[in-house]
Amino acid sequence: MLAEWLVAASPAQAASSSAAPPISCSYYLYAPGVGDSCFQPDGDVTWLDDIDDDGWNPEVMLEASYPAEGNSYKTRFCTHDPDSRWQSCNFDHRETHCVRWWIYERNASSPNLTRLAKGPTPWLGADDGRPGNCIIE
């Protein structure tokens, strides 16, 4: 059901780029042949890297463990810009709550076409990035 919903979703905005995430990035999720992602609790930044120039752009779908607009969890997207290396997406999560994410790929020539690559991560504390150290509503 989650994958079906993502296919129908519109592409997210790409964010700023950088050479690499900071050392404070915690919990990496690696999808072989697709990309890397990590969560930086200080600043609530999600990082994403495309490791394969194959016409598919990695995208992170991130859930926060509190409700938003009638959904069971607040959902956000971070889309990789194919012209850069690491992308960062700055989200403002509720402290003491949890985040988790999946890596998807979005087809560059057919943006409505997506496929799941890896995930989800365990629930991680939004304020410290540690597994299980958070509130799930």
Side-chain angles (χ1 to χ4, degrees):
M1 181 168 150
L2 182 61
E4 292 170 7
W5 177 83
L6 185 62
V7 170
S10 61
Q13 273 188 316
S16 61
S17 61
S18 177
I23 197 159
S24 62
C25 209
S26 69
Y27 204 92
Y28 281 77
L29 181 63
Y30 174 67
V34 177
D36 294 319
S37 64
C38 69
F39 176 65
Q40 176 190 347
D42 182 24
D44 296 339
V45 180
T46 299
W47 291 85
L48 178 62
D49 183 25
D50 188 354
I51 60 173
D52 190 3
D53 187 18
D54 61 357
W56 289 81
N57 300 322
E59 180 172 292
V60 164
M61 185 185 87
L62 184 134
E63 283 185 339
S65 66
Y66 47 88
E69 301 159 11
N71 295 323
S72 57
Y73 296 119
K74 185 165 184 94
T75 304
R76 297 172 171 145
F77 296 90
C78 181
T79 301
H80 189 269
D81 177 357
D83 295 329
S84 66
R85 186 71 207 269
W86 283 93
Q87 288 292 145
S88 63
C89 295
N90 193 349
F91 301 120
D92 186 21
H93 303 297
R94 292 182 188 170
E95 300 305 315
T96 72
H97 283 75
C98 307
V99 295
R100 68 179 175 183
W101 69 93
W102 292 255
I103 297 178
Y104 283 84
E105 288 187 292
R106 187 172 295 279
N107 188 289
S109 59
S110 300
N112 288 331
L113 183 60
T114 61
R115 59 187 180 198
L116 176 62
K118 189 79 172 200
T121 64
W123 285 111
L124 305 170
D127 53 354
D128 63 8
R130 292 186 299 174
N133 192 32
C134 52
I135 298 169
I136 299 174
E137 287 185 21

